Amino acid sequence: MNPLVSTTNQSGVAVITIDNPPVNALSPGVPEGLASAFTAANADVGAKAIVVIGAGRTFIAGADIKELEYAAWGQPAKLPALHDLLATIENSAKPVVMALHGTTFGGGLEVAMAGHYRVAARDGVMGQPEVNLGIIPGAEGTQRLPRLVGVEKAIEMCVTGKPIPAADALAAGLVDAVVDGQLLDSAVAFALDVVSRNAPLVKTSDRTDKLGTPERNAPLYAAGCALAAKVRRGAIAPLKAVDAIEAAVALPFDEGCRRERELFSECVVTDQARALIHAFFAERGVAKVPGITKETTVRPVGKVAIIGAGTMGGGIAMACANAGLQVLLKEAEQAALDRGMETIRKNYDVSVKRGRFTPEGVEERMARIHPQLDYAGFDSADVIIEAVFEDMAIKKAIFAEIEGIAGADCVLGTNTSTLNIDEIASVTKRPGSVVGLHFFSPANVMRLLEIVRGKATSSEILATALALAKKLNKVGVVAGNCPGFIGNRMMFPYMYEAQFLVEEGATPEQVDKALTGFGMAMGIFAVDDMAGIDVAWRVRKALRHFAEPGVRRPLVQDQLFEMGRYGQKTGRGWYIYDANRKATPDPEVVELIRSSAAGAGIAQRTFTPEEIIERTVYALINEGARILEEGYALRAADIDVVYINGYGFPARLGGPMMCADQIGLAKIAARIAEFHAEFGERWTPAPLLARLATEGKTFREFDLERA
Ligand code: NAD
């Protein structure tokens, strides 16, 4: 008996159930189980038809991504290709009805499309999200999907990777019925109806009615490529998906499938696929934290109290309210509190306009947020998050206050971006309860939560913080307590190099263009303007080591601060902003940069985009290597998760450390050695990077060896 796939009989219909929690992925055992279940059902005289359904919350949600990882890194597959199974399903002499609920994605949809009919639960969704992993559907999805939904829709689904709801799937022809209530009963009834009508069993692979012709489809292929360029800038797989769909039209089914396999094989070994598959597993790996086991107590969280209703406090309040938590939001003064609540209301109004929330949904959320000027109710909060100014004295004063108010089990969190958690904790009698909860702006949107473990932070508090991240639909990454933790510590040298580049002759626009060309969501100067030049100024002031004598410091940022050019919020920063926050370069800033550089005797030259990337991104990588070696990040992969989810690093490059692996550590180390010779101490090569480069190893291998 295969424990993953079982067969029962309901009203003369063989019901094949896949039970491979949590998402019924096609891991080893499932395809084999399905194949033998089909053989048995076809031989069973007591079964007139076959229904396939998933146990638990979903139909097959996709392939086993471990298999993709093996393929990406050239290791032997543990599973046979699905081709034979799909042929067995499609060639079944008895009608096959696929009963779809939950997420029918990727390999799951490919299995479903091999059935003769599909019945979907109304809240089910279907999609081919393979492009998210840098690949195309590899089990005939690009061949069957256009046969069911037509070329245009198939291209849209495979290029964007976006799932479609059951109703759309019905309209497109992907499913034959959408049902409310009992899915299995409906699917069995559907199958019996097919039997009673003696309806012909049409194989999806035999259908051609929706395929059109290569000539008529030419504009669709062109539009597909344009769509790919728009929604997945620089990505290879969406274009290959269009090629595969073209093959579905131009070639007979079997040949089309062969072409799909070739294109799949080309995709899966690209740097992009490796990077995206790495990012997928990296995100799932962050929860593995030394000292936290299944037995570690996770404290329940229902009520969160936040101190400070500024940019961050407001966003955190929204994130918590969105997750159904009760929120107390405390401010120092009425005016600031009113401003904070108004901003929250305004942000929610935008969400309603964009169709993300209904007006009722927003009212429910607003009702969960309780604005206040005192600590009333803080004694029953499960988590307190301090989000006041980045100032150690103020933060310490607040922790000393909440020490006497918070319940014994309460998590005491600080949203500091850079400050020493242990020093903050030192003013309390329970430093084990103190943890950094570093959200990113806008906190209701950004997925990253950097969880900073102080030297005393207890396992329970850390585990509760990780569970809170999950509850807020965020990815929690544990960082050690060093100035700037993982993300901002790496940001400092990156930001400094960018400023040195402009002092040496580049413009902010050139630097930003090089960075966005590389794939960053935003250029660094645009980021500085968005986050606030005043905020960065405060951080520099708070971190004394940036004032070390003899160390080169940027010349212009402080001047911009003194001029009141705080960035977007004042309409001027590195750029000028119009009413729609559109940035234009400001000749005045360029002039300021040039005169400051002349005053400091800095030689001027021009820079290629490649040089700009080397100076900035290699600085990021070098600091990342240091953080890893010093143990402030548990894994190189954790650093990648931080940068992809909190700093706009492109997932298709895998994060800075995976990107370093792909560029080649030897190449990077050599360049850093040159920079070191030219610029001195700030470019001291990270010992770990230098060592791995000499040994011909990668950060990925470093992680694997220590796992
Ligand atoms: P902000 O200036 O927008 O908000 C701070 C708020 O705290 C103000 O509204 C102020 O009135 C309030 N406040 C000050 N003292 C208080 C007290 N004793 N009691 C109650 N409220 C008090 O600042 P922000 O950008 O929201 O930053 C808050 C914290 O989050 C800082 O530590 C900052 O470093 C960190 N942070 C900021 C960002 C960002 O992008 N802005 C990102 C991550 C972390």
Side-chain angles (χ1 to χ4, degrees):
M1 251 285 288
N2 182 321
L4 304 174
V5 181
S6 58
T7 307
T8 52
N9 191 299
Q10 181 167 329
S11 314
V13 173
V15 175
I16 299 176
T17 304
I18 304 151
D19 190 2
N20 182 27
V23 295
N24 294 323
L26 288 166
S27 28
V30 174
E32 300 91 314
L34 276 172
S36 31
F38 265 92
T39 309
N42 267 305
D44 177 5
V45 287
K48 297 187 274 278
I50 301 167
V51 164
V52 183
I53 194 164
R57 60 177 146 105
T58 184
F59 189 73
I60 302 165
D64 183 339
I65 296 168
K66 270 279 156 211
E67 288 292 316
L68 295 174
E69 192 181 32
Y70 300 141
W73 299 94
Q75 290 158 322
K78 298 217 166 28
L79 266 180
L82 288 179
H83 182 77
D84 289 346
L85 170 66
L86 300 181
T88 303
I89 295 174
E90 202 166 50
N91 293 333
S92 167
K94 299 175 183 177
V96 178
V97 177
M98 299 286 178
L100 314 179
H101 73 301
T103 46
T104 303
F105 284 175
L109 185 57
E110 290 173 303
V111 168
M113 290 191 294
H116 304 118
Y117 297 96
R118 282 149 297 280
V119 173
R122 188 161 306 278
D123 57 2
V125 286
M126 293 101 208
Q128 298 282 182
E130 284 82 354
V131 283
N132 292 327
L133 295 175
I135 54 171
I136 66 167
E140 306 167 4
T142 61
Q143 306 303 298
R144 284 197 178 85
L145 188 60
R147 286 174 158 80
L148 290 171
V149 304
V151 167
E152 188 172 9
K153 187 80 186 163
I155 287 178
E156 181 195 312
M157 287 176 70
C158 292
V159 164
T160 65
K162 279 209 186 112
I164 59 172
D168 289 3
L170 180 65
L174 183 55
V175 303
D176 303 283
V178 172
V179 300
D180 297 296
Q182 252 293 327
L183 175 64
L184 178 58
D185 291 350
S186 305
V188 168
F190 190 100
L192 289 172
D193 179 57
V194 169
V195 171
S196 71
R197 285 189 289 114
N198 214 359
L201 300 185
V202 182
K203 296 181 193 173
T204 307
S205 61
D206 283 344
R207 288 183 54 174
T208 52
D209 50 306
K210 287 193 172 178
L211 286 182
T213 63
E215 297 71 37
R216 261 192 295 138
N217 289 343
L220 300 180
Y221 305 146
C225 295
L227 178 66
K230 188 167 147 221
V231 299
R232 302 217 168 233
R233 184 163 59 102
I236 298 166
L239 299 172
K240 300 271 185 197
V242 176
D243 287 351
I245 292 169
E246 269 193 73
V249 178
L251 304 173
F253 183 77
D254 283 339
E255 278 179 48
C257 290
R258 263 198 294 284
R259 180 74 189 125
E260 180 197 77
R261 268 202 296 284
E262 279 169 20
L263 290 164
F264 172 88
S265 304
E266 285 169 29
C267 282
V268 77
V269 292
T270 56
D271 278 352
Q272 286 184 6
R274 286 180 176 172
L276 288 162
I277 292 168
H278 160 77
F280 176 89
F281 284 111
E283 190 173 322
R284 275 140 195 90
V286 289
K288 240 183 85 194
V289 175
I292 296 184
T293 65
K294 279 205 178 72
E295 282 72 47
T296 308
T297 309
V298 175
R299 300 177 184 168
V301 175
K303 185 170 171 185
V304 175
I306 299 164
I307 307 170
T311 311
M312 295 310 292
I316 298 167
M318 291 174 76
C320 293
N322 291 347
L325 301 172
Q326 289 302 319
V327 181
L328 307 180
L329 186 56
K330 178 193 183 294
E331 252 297 339
E333 292 163 13
Q334 190 63 47
L337 186 59
D338 293 344
R339 238 183 355 256
M341 289 305 288
E342 252 168 55
T343 306
I344 292 175
R345 165 65 72 185
K346 245 197 268 162
N347 288 338
Y348 273 137
D349 285 348
V350 172
S351 300
V352 171
K353 268 201 204 108
R354 291 192 182 150
R356 226 186 119 218
F357 298 137
T358 61
E360 301 76 48
V362 163
E363 290 320 311
E364 279 169 26
R365 287 168 171 81
M366 288 298 294
R368 288 188 198 117
I369 304 176
H370 187 263
Q372 57 193 69
L373 293 173
D374 55 18
Y375 283 117
F378 272 54
D379 52 346
S380 61
D382 304 305
V383 178
I384 296 178
I385 303 173
E386 166 278 309
V388 304
F389 304 127
E390 187 79 345
D391 180 310
M392 182 55 94
I394 302 183
K395 291 196 192 279
K396 277 183 167 172
I398 285 181
F399 272 77
E401 267 172 33
I402 57 177
E403 155 81 7
I405 299 164
D409 286 341
C410 185
V411 176
L412 307 182
T414 166
N415 185 48
T416 176
S417 339
T418 49
L419 298 177
N420 187 336
I421 305 292
D422 294 336
E423 193 178 336
I424 296 175
S426 71
V427 300
T428 74
K429 289 190 206 74
R430 40 176 144 164
S433 298
V434 177
V435 66
L437 295 176
H438 184 203
F439 289 82
F440 288 73
S441 180
N444 54 316
V445 177
M446 295 295 284
R447 282 193 74 224
L448 180 64
L449 177 62
E450 212 177 14
I451 299 173
V452 188
R453 180 179 212 165
K455 68 171 187 277
T457 309
S458 75
S459 303
E460 284 84 358
I461 292 291
L462 207 59
T464 306
L466 281 161
L468 174 68
K470 237 191 198 150
K471 197 163 210 164
L472 300 182
N473 203 11
K474 298 197 184 293
V475 44
V477 180
V478 174
N481 180 30
C482 56
F485 320 123
I486 296 175
N488 283 342
R489 177 171 159 185
M490 287 167 69
M491 204 64 187
F492 299 139
Y494 174 74
M495 179 70 204
Y496 270 35
E497 281 312 313
Q499 294 186 63
F500 296 153
L501 281 163
V502 299
E503 290 169 11
E504 291 163 26
T507 64
E509 193 193 10
Q510 277 167 1
V511 172
D512 279 1
K513 261 206 181 128
L515 289 169
T516 52
F518 169 77
M520 298 299 291
M522 286 173 80
I524 183 66
F525 292 103
V527 167
D528 201 29
D529 277 351
M530 188 184 71
I533 286 172
D534 54 325
V535 174
W537 180 84
R538 245 178 229 114
V539 169
R540 283 198 303 282
K541 219 176 81 167
L543 293 178
R544 261 173 307 147
H545 72 275
F546 281 103
E548 274 170 33
V551 172
R552 178 173 171 188
R553 297 184 59 209
L555 302 170
V556 180
Q557 209 183 12
D558 282 352
Q559 296 185 64
L560 293 179
F561 172 77
E562 283 151 19
M563 291 160 79
R565 297 184 67 124
Y566 295 170
Q568 285 193 12
K569 65 177 87 159
T570 55
R572 276 161 195 267
W574 293 100
Y575 296 98
I576 300 184
Y577 294 86
D578 66 14
N580 299 320
R581 302 208 161 174
K582 197 179 154 334
T584 359
D586 186 349
E588 201 185 309
V589 170
V590 176
E591 183 41 44
L592 177 69
I593 295 168
R594 293 291 159 259
S595 60
S596 305
I602 297 171
Q604 301 291 296
R605 52 168 286 213
T606 55
F607 290 90
T608 63
E610 291 71 33
E611 284 176 302
I612 292 173
I613 294 308
E614 286 173 347
R615 283 277 294 275
T616 49
V617 176
Y618 290 8
L620 201 61
I621 292 165
N622 200 36
E623 195 64 29
R626 234 182 265 286
I627 290 172
L628 183 60
E629 184 165 34
E630 292 167 10
Y632 292 110
L634 291 169
R635 288 159 287 254
D638 286 21
I639 297 176
D640 289 338
V641 175
V642 165
Y643 262 78
I644 291 170
N645 293 286
Y647 292 85
F649 201 97
R652 72 181 149 77
L653 298 183
M657 308 318 273
M658 171 52 67
C659 177
D661 283 353
Q662 296 192 338
I663 293 169
L665 299 193
K667 182 178 166 190
I668 294 175
R671 199 74 180 105
I672 288 178
E674 287 172 13
F675 289 150
H676 188 210
E678 185 177 353
F679 301 113
E681 196 185 323
R682 74 173 197 270
W683 275 102
T684 304
L688 175 65
L689 175 60
R691 176 166 68 78
L692 293 176
T694 313
E695 291 171 358
K697 289 201 174 144
T698 60
F699 288 117
R700 181 170 187 268
E701 285 165 340
F702 177 78
D703 275 357
L704 287 173
E705 276 171 18
R706 297 199 312 171

